[in-house]
Amino acid sequence: DADTQRFVFIEANPRLQVEHTVTEEVMGVDLVKSQILLAGGATLAQIGLAPDRLPQPPGFAIQLRINMESGGGGVLTAFDMPSGPGIRVDTSGYCGYAPNPNFDALLAKLVVHNASPHLGDAVDGFQGGEAAHQQGLRLFGSGAGVDRHGDLRA
């Protein structure tokens, strides 16, 4: 406060959040690339993100986090992720993968984007994992926590 000379610190986290994939899908902006360009000296205007010319968000995106079962290890015996228009999967999983049970067992982030201006359309298309089920998600293994498609739709 300039009048009282009182200083207040507000925490800043200059890192991407785990949900950044939703923002990228809705806004059509590669946030990692943008951060690298900005760190290299580019301006927001130079990378197409000038505050007065921001793109309008076309539609909605929903993210599903796919994890191994809590506290379990195990080995994935099948790991097929969905694909197709409006579907993004960020993963390091693969058939034969055995995550370390001592760490967060995130296998994949499944993001479905729908360009409709109505949130209900995105929810209807993703309701209970239907997008994953219809587009070929297959995940099996000891400790996988998702031993059949029905678990994603529950």
Side-chain angles (χ1 to χ4, degrees):
D1 183 337
D3 295 330
T4 65
Q5 299 296 312
R6 187 172 147 230
F7 176 78
V8 178
F9 176 75
I10 298 176
E11 179 184 11
N13 288 314
R15 61 181 167 84
L16 292 175
Q17 299 297 316
V18 72
E19 300 84 4
H20 80 278
T21 55
V22 171
T23 303
E24 288 184 336
E25 289 304 305
V26 171
M27 297 302 292
V29 175
D30 182 333
L31 294 176
V32 175
K33 179 181 177 181
S34 297
Q35 281 190 327
I36 291 169
L37 291 172
L38 291 169
T43 66
L44 288 172
Q46 289 172 324
I47 64 170
L49 296 175
D52 60 338
R53 292 184 285 135
L54 289 177
Q56 290 299 307
F60 294 89
I62 299 173
Q63 177 179 282
L64 173 71
R65 294 170 50 97
I66 303 171
N67 294 289
M68 289 289 275
E69 198 169 86
S70 295
V75 176
L76 292 174
T77 57
F79 191 77
D80 299 320
M81 291 287 104
S83 62
I87 294 177
R88 170 181 174 166
V89 178
D90 290 0
T91 185
S92 62
Y94 54 88
C95 186
Y97 179 58
N100 185 326
N102 297 314
F103 298 98
D104 178 15
L106 176 64
L107 295 175
K109 293 185 294 184
L110 170 62
V111 180
V112 176
H113 176 246
N114 185 313
S116 169
H118 305 288
L119 175 60
D121 292 339
V123 172
D124 288 345
F126 198 76
Q127 187 65 42
E130 284 300 314
H133 175 65
Q134 293 170 4
Q135 298 294 329
L137 175 69
R138 209 167 58 97
L139 175 65
F140 296 95
S142 105
V146 185
D147 290 330
R148 60 189 182 282
H149 294 303
D151 289 335
L152 282 176
R153 294 190 307 259

